[in-house]
Structures are given as C-alpha cells and as structure tokens.
Amino acid sequence: MASCKNLAIVLWLLLSSTLLAADAARPNILFIVTDDQAEWAMSCSGHPDAKTPNLDRIAREGVRLTNCFTPTPVCSPSRVAILASRYGTEDGILDWLNPNKEPERGLDPKTPAWPRLLASAGYRTGLIGKWHLGLKNEFHPSVFGYQYFMGFRGGGNSPRNPELEIDGQVRKVEGFVVDLLTDDALKFLQREPGKPFALSLHFREPHAPYAPVPDSEQRAFAELDSQVPNPDFPKLDTAKVKKLTREYLPSVSAAERYHGRLLDELDRLKLSDNTLVIFTSDHGYNIGHHGVWHKGNGHWILTENPAGTGNIPAGQRPNMFDTSLRVPAVIRWPQKIPAGKSVSRTVTHLDWFPTLLEVAGVDLPEGITIRGRSVLKLLRGEDSFDRSDDLYTEYSTQHTSRTHMRCYRTSEWKLKRDFNNPDRDELYDLRNDPGETTNLAASDRSEAKAAFAELTRRIRAKMVELNDPVQAN
C-alpha cells in the first residue's frame, strides 16, 4: 500500500514539474498602448525634439514597424480592433464612446477577444489603465477575459490625482496617473512566478490635457522651440503649434520613462528573453500637420478657419491623413525575434489578436471571424509573409461633425470617400506626394481618374464584406 502511495506521489511530482516546465516555456506578453501618441513622436522616428530612449531601446533590441496603422483614427473603434480584430462598424462602435451622451453603450460582451482565449489556455491576464469600451458592468474588462483590472472604464482621466477602479471600487488616488499605473503593473509582473502572463498596460498619456506632468519632464522641455510641420500651410497658427508641441512632448516622455522601469523589472526577474513586449498607440496625432490639431476628428489650427457646413462646423477638420492613421510600433522578443530590424510592410491593429494567439500557441476556435492575420513570421524576418500591403480604414464621426469616411490605401494611391459629404473626397498620389498635400479627387488626369474609380470599387467591396451600415450611393 505504501509503495502505491509513493508511486502516486512520484507521478504527481513528475506531472507537476512537467506542467511547470511547460508554463515556463510559454512566452509572457506585455502589451503597452499609449493614447494619442503619433508615430512621429519618437526619437527613433527621426523627430529632433522627442526624447524616447526606452522606445529606442525596444526598437534597437527588436523590430520597428514603420507602416503600422489603426483601422479607425479615434479611441474606442481602434481599441475594438486591438482587442477583437474587428472593425468598429461590425460592432456598432463607429466613434469614441461619449460617457455623457451614451453611458449605456459598450462592446457586445459576446465579441471574441484574445484575453479570454489566453486566460482559457492558462495565462494570467490583466488590464491596467484605460478601457473605453463601455462603462456598465456588462462591458467590464473582466467579461472579455481580463482576470485583473485596475484603471478607468471611460475615455479620459486626470493626469494627477485620478479616479481609478481598484479592487472593484472607484476612488480618487493621489499621485500622477503614470506613476500609479506603472507601480501596479510592476506588482502584476511579480505575482505568481513561473506562470505565463499577458498584461495590457494602457496609459492615458499623451492624451489632452497634457499637463501637469512630473517636474523632470516639465523641465526637460520648458525652453523648447519646437519644430513646426508643414510650416508653409496657409494661415497656420505657428505660435499655437509650438505651444502645443512644447506641452505634448513632455506628456509623451512622462509615459515613456516608465517603459524603462518595466523593461528593467523584466531584466531583474530574468523574464526578458521570453517576454514579447509590444508598444503601440491607439491611433496617430497631428499638431500642425496638414493645418490640423488632434486625430481623425481633428480641428483646424489656423489663424482663420474655413467656413463650416451643415455637417462640418467651422473649426472642425475630420480626416484620414496618414498622420492620424499611422501608429508607433516597436516589438521585442529576444528569444524569437532578431534585433535591430525595421519593417516597412503594412501591419494594422487588426493583426495583434492572431499574432498573440500564435505566440501563445493557442488555436483560433472555429466559427470566429477576425479580420487580421498573424505577423509573427514578418517579425521574425521570414520571407513567407505573402499578404498585400493595401490598407482599408473607416471612420464615421458622430460627435460634433457628421461624416462617413471610408478610405483605401495602396503603395501608390490613397482615396478617402466621405459618403455623407461627397464634396470632401480626397485622392493622393503617394508615389509623388507622400505628404498628402495635393488633392487629386477632381483631377482630369487620366491616371488619377482611373485610381479614383478603382479604389472606389475596392472601398465598396470592403463595405459589402463588412456589412457596413452606410449606404454608399
């Protein structure tokens, strides 16, 4: 009898050690998302005034994606793409969720989400920071597979002394929100050693209001005479562009400094080699680019604004410029991804879901429709990434302006149709005009007319595929 018990103990120990070894072999995932950070707002992108040494480090030790895009250049739909690999139109989230006007709305709880699949596969999952996919409990992050949540469900928060949900209770907490979120993330990394984790860390920075920021960041940029993009844009308010840039870059730097703390903690815990670190932002941003401030629901930043219309109030500039669509993206996984690569192929937020499943060794269940495709082979430098670099994006602005913008981009041409405002169509020849300065939508050039017709056909086909509620007449 004793020998049977001893054998059972030995078998249990062997099984336990095997399971622990399997857990240890599975990669950890640290997915960092900032809010409103432009791709140009990194020193590794070439901006002379940005100070992002930790993002530069991730790029140096891994891969930088120079053509990573969001499907929708505003908060909530972009987060649908990151979480569920779906376009916002598919889930009825066409614009950012306004907590004052639509507190009852949120992402359908039945929507497939990668945290739920990873949690089912044995991962320890958590979200720290911004959610912005619904305020009510039925839309809580835990419903989508995040076993741990500390942060805020809405879209905005104060840079200092924020209100945060901690252990299920919302309370005001003293300190800078970047400190508070990072401190909690460090604690998360330290829990349950040996069990793989997937942590989403969603900073509020550099979302407006940019200030206050910690003194170290404020001092570093106090005397900045910033670079002005598109300085020859007619009636550009150069003084305001400089002022906003001088306030924006410290907010970028405030969050960026804490990326370094996270990387150092991974080193200390000896987890760096087998941890996939992804850094990106929900969408791009403009400060003077094309005469615009903000993102896809942008505002003019001019000394004199063009007249408004019934759907576009004076001062508003809804747009699908690359500066609004392109996001920063640097990825590191020392055990699997070669260091120091720069990749120019087109990647979107839709691709993170299938990429994370492949990284974790989790199969996509049958019957689930996602719109992205794993880019792990691309990150590894393999040649078998046989996908087109075409990009389809969408944005129906619903707050302040009223638009139905649909956009198709190839390596040669980019067309944005506004099906609610046909006079706002825009066509750019990206080969000769990568800065999108000359709108050829009304051009008589045969090449431009052919591009307009072909890209319109592709836009309409994509709208049919997605069952887009907008009727493109």
Side-chain angles (χ1 to χ4, degrees):
M1 189 68 163
S3 60
C4 291
K5 288 183 178 180
N6 290 337
L7 179 60
I9 292 172
V10 170
L11 291 174
W12 180 83
L13 289 172
L14 287 172
L15 177 61
S16 298
S17 62
T18 301
L19 292 174
L20 288 171
D23 273 350
R26 288 195 290 175
N28 303 299
I29 296 165
L30 175 59
F31 198 157
I32 304 171
V33 180
T34 49
D35 194 347
D36 284 17
Q37 182 167 348
E39 195 274 340
W40 52 260
M42 300 191 296
S43 49
C44 60
S45 297
H47 196 289
D49 301 322
K51 295 179 172 63
T52 57
N54 295 300
L55 295 183
D56 298 350
R57 174 187 169 186
I58 298 174
R60 186 173 61 251
E61 297 175 356
V63 174
R64 176 179 163 230
L65 302 176
T66 60
N67 279 308
C68 188
F69 296 91
T70 179
T72 303
V74 76
C75 295
S76 298
S78 69
R79 292 166 192 273
V80 172
I82 291 172
L83 182 75
S85 188
R86 292 165 63 87
Y87 288 89
T89 53
E90 297 182 88
D91 293 289
I93 298 181
L94 308 182
D95 204 344
W96 63 281
L97 294 176
N98 188 324
N100 297 317
K101 295 181 179 179
E102 45 191 2
E104 302 297 311
R105 296 190 61 221
L107 182 62
D108 185 341
K110 297 189 293 295
T111 303
W114 62 262
R116 186 184 293 134
L117 296 177
L118 264 59
S120 297
Y123 270 77
R124 182 168 58 91
T125 59
L127 168 63
I128 296 173
K130 176 173 174 173
W131 176 235
H132 208 181
L133 288 175
L135 298 175
K136 298 177 67 177
N137 287 339
E138 65 186 277
F139 310 123
H140 193 270
S142 60
V143 174
F144 296 88
Y146 285 115
Q147 299 159 330
Y148 176 81
F149 173 66
M150 189 283 263
F152 49 102
R153 301 190 203 182
N157 212 326
S158 171
R160 185 165 58 188
N161 301 336
E163 289 191 347
L164 297 172
E165 180 177 327
I166 302 174
D167 297 328
Q169 300 295 319
V170 177
R171 58 187 176 91
K172 190 170 185 176
V173 187
E174 292 187 359
F176 286 101
V177 68
V178 287
D179 285 304
L180 298 166
L181 298 182
T182 305
D183 287 346
D184 202 61
L186 293 172
K187 293 176 184 176
F188 184 94
L189 298 182
Q190 297 161 6
R191 297 187 193 119
E192 298 186 55
K195 185 172 184 178
F197 63 77
L199 173 62
S200 296
L201 176 55
H202 293 183
F203 286 101
R204 72 158 297 282
E205 278 71 22
H207 195 288
Y210 311 130
V213 296
D215 289 343
S216 56
E217 277 70 40
Q218 190 62 52
R219 288 193 302 270
F221 293 89
E223 304 300 323
L224 175 66
D225 184 20
S226 63
Q227 171 182 278
V228 176
N230 302 123
D232 298 326
F233 195 93
K235 300 179 182 179
L236 182 69
D237 191 339
T238 302
K240 189 171 183 180
V241 170
K242 286 178 173 287
K243 176 180 181 294
L244 289 172
T245 306
R246 191 165 55 246
E247 295 170 354
Y248 176 77
L249 290 178
S251 187
V252 170
S253 186
E256 204 277 343
R257 177 160 57 91
Y258 292 93
H259 305 339
R261 291 183 62 194
L262 294 160
L263 296 177
D264 290 345
E265 184 64 11
L266 290 175
D267 287 343
R268 189 187 72 81
L269 296 171
K270 303 188 185 317
L271 297 175
S272 294
D273 281 351
N274 200 29
T275 297
L276 173 69
V277 177
I278 299 172
F279 166 80
T280 190
S281 181
D282 51 356
H283 45 70
Y285 206 68
N286 304 271
I287 304 183
H289 307 79
H290 309 285
V292 173
W293 172 50
H294 220 42
K295 43 213 171 197
N297 53 356
H299 316 285
W300 288 115
I301 186 167
L302 307 176
T303 56
E304 182 182 348
N305 292 327
T309 68
N311 286 327
I312 315 290
Q316 301 292 306
R317 181 47 168 109
N319 70 90
M320 297 286 259
F321 289 121
D322 275 7
T323 42
S324 296
L325 293 169
R326 184 180 275 115
V327 296
V330 288
I331 301 98
R332 188 190 77 172
W333 185 9
Q335 197 173 92
K336 297 291 184 180
I337 295 176
K341 288 175 56 65
S342 180
V343 174
S344 61
R345 299 294 303 274
T346 296
V347 176
T348 82
H349 282 335
L350 298 166
D351 297 322
W352 298 124
F353 184 145
T355 299
L356 294 177
L357 290 194
E358 184 174 2
V359 165
V362 176
D363 293 330
L364 182 70
E366 292 185 8
I368 290 180
T369 298
I370 63 173
R371 300 300 176 180
R373 178 176 164 189
S374 174
V375 295
L376 184 56
K377 289 181 179 178
L378 182 65
L379 298 176
R380 286 176 169 170
E382 299 177 17
D383 295 330
S384 55
F385 190 73
D386 57 352
R387 187 176 71 181
S388 164
D389 282 329
D390 290 3
L391 173 71
Y392 176 77
T393 60
E394 59 175 25
Y395 188 13
S396 292
T397 59
Q398 298 181 312
H399 312 302
T400 310
S401 65
R402 298 284 179 176
T403 68
H404 288 312
M405 297 182 289
R406 303 295 183 265
C407 178
Y408 203 98
R409 183 188 192 277
T410 71
S411 59
E412 298 181 337
W413 292 92
K414 178 178 177 181
L415 174 65
K416 185 266 289 179
R417 300 290 309 272
D418 185 343
F419 293 108
N420 206 38
N421 306 276
D423 58 330
R424 296 187 66 253
D425 292 343
E426 296 173 58
L427 175 69
Y428 297 104
D429 179 355
L430 297 182
R431 297 163 303 177
N432 301 305
D433 182 24
E436 301 173 273
T437 61
T438 303
N439 181 9
L440 300 176
S443 173
D444 288 332
R445 283 174 46 191
S446 59
E447 192 179 22
K449 291 173 71 174
F452 189 99
E454 173 58 22
L455 295 188
T456 294
R457 183 191 67 78
R458 297 188 193 186
I459 287 173
R460 291 181 184 275
K462 197 69 178 180
M463 294 172 77
V464 171
E465 177 189 344
L466 298 176
N467 196 27
D468 194 322
V470 174
Q471 297 301 310
N473 297 317

